[in-house]
C-alpha cells in the first residue's frame, strides 16, 4: 500500500472535519503536563484555532511555554472498528490583529452559533475576555486505518509558508 502526500492530507482534513473537540496538552512551570479539552477550528494550511480565556491554566502555561500537543479523535469509535485519529505537535500563541480576524472567520464558519453567542454577551460576561489561540503544527501522527492501512501510523513534518 503506497501512501501519497495528498492521500495523507485528505485523511487529516477528513478527521479534522469530522471532529469538533480536541484535547490539548501544555507544560506547567514545574515541567508537568496539563491537559484541557476545547472546541477547535482549522484552516486548509493546518493552522488550528481555539477560543479560551487568557487566565485559564492552559493559556497561562502557553504564555510561558508555547509547546503544545493535541489529540483529535472520535470517542464514539468502537474498539473493533478501523482506528482513526490525529496527534499534533507544535507551538501555540494568542492571536492579534489580522491573525485574530482570520481565527474568528474560520471559527465562525465552523461554528455557526458563535456570532449569536458573541452578540448575546453582556458587558460583565467573561466571554468578552476570551481570545483566539493559534496552533502552528510542526509535526503530525495520523491513524486512518480505512484509508491508509491497518495499523499504519503516518508521521510527518508539516511545512507551512508564512
Amino acid at each position: 500500500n503506497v501512501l501519497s502526500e495528498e492521500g495523507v492530507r485528505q485523511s487529516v482534513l477528513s478527521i479534522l472535519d469530522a471532529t469538533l473537540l480536541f484535547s490539548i496538552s501544555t507544560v506547567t512551570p514545574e515541567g508537568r503536563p496539563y491537559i484541557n479539552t476545547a472546541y477547535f477550528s482549522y484552516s486548509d494550511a493546518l493552522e488550528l484555532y481555539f477560543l479560551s480565556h487568557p487566565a485559564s491554566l492552559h493559556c497561562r502555561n502557553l504564555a510561558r511555554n508555547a509547546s503544545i500537543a493535541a489529540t483529535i479523535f472520535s470517542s464514539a469509535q468502537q474498539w473493533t472498528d478501523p482506528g482513526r485519529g490525529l496527534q499534533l505537535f507544535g507551538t501555540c500563541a494568542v492571536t492579534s490583529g489580522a491573525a485574530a480576524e482570520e481565527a474568528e472567520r474560520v471559527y465562525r464558519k465552523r461554528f455557526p452559533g458563535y456570532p449569536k453567542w458573541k452578540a448575546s454577551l453582556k458587558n460583565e460576561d467573561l466571554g468578552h475576555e476570551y481570545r483566539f489561540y493559534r496552533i502552528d503544527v510542526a509535526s503530525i501522527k495520523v491513524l486512518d486505518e480505512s484509508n491508509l492501512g491497518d495499523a499504519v501510523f503516518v508521521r510527518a513534518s508539516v511545512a507551512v509558508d508564512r
Side-chain angles (χ1 to χ4, degrees):
N1 191 8
V2 177
L3 301 176
S4 71
E5 183 178 333
E6 185 55 28
V8 172
R9 178 178 164 71
Q10 289 307 313
S11 284
V12 169
L13 293 175
S14 175
I15 293 167
L16 290 173
D17 190 52
T19 314
L20 298 177
L21 287 166
F22 67 174
S23 294
I24 54 174
S25 178
T26 59
V27 181
T28 68
E30 299 79 28
R32 290 193 298 263
Y34 177 79
I35 196 161
N36 187 72
T37 302
Y39 289 94
F40 73 94
S41 61
Y42 64 95
S43 71
D44 288 339
L46 204 58
E47 298 160 323
L48 278 74
Y49 301 99
F50 64 93
L51 185 62
S52 196
H53 196 282
S56 64
L57 183 53
H58 56 281
C59 292
R60 292 193 326 262
N61 289 342
L62 289 167
R64 289 186 288 268
N65 181 339
S67 294
I68 194 165
T71 58
I72 300 170
F73 61 92
S74 169
S75 62
Q77 292 181 81
Q78 297 299 309
W79 187 77
T80 53
D81 292 343
R84 194 165 193 243
L86 304 173
Q87 294 175 11
L88 308 169
F89 306 89
T91 57
C92 182
V94 66
T95 62
S96 62
E101 290 172 12
E102 174 64 6
E104 187 168 42
R105 184 191 69 74
V106 172
Y107 203 83
R108 188 174 50 245
K109 181 179 175 187
R110 182 150 164 102
F111 300 106
Y114 168 75
K116 184 177 180 181
W117 169 81
K118 187 175 177 183
S120 73
L121 293 174
K122 295 177 180 43
N123 288 340
E124 65 277 5
D125 289 344
L126 283 178
H128 286 294
E129 298 174 14
Y130 279 39
R131 297 292 176 261
F132 283 102
Y133 288 77
R134 181 179 75 197
I135 299 174
D136 294 323
V137 179
S139 64
I140 191 166
K141 183 174 161 185
V142 184
L143 176 67
D144 188 354
E145 291 182 318
S146 292
N147 294 307
L148 302 177
D150 192 31
V152 173
F153 290 86
V154 176
R155 296 166 199 240
S157 296
V158 177
V160 178
D161 294 327
R162 286 204 173 79

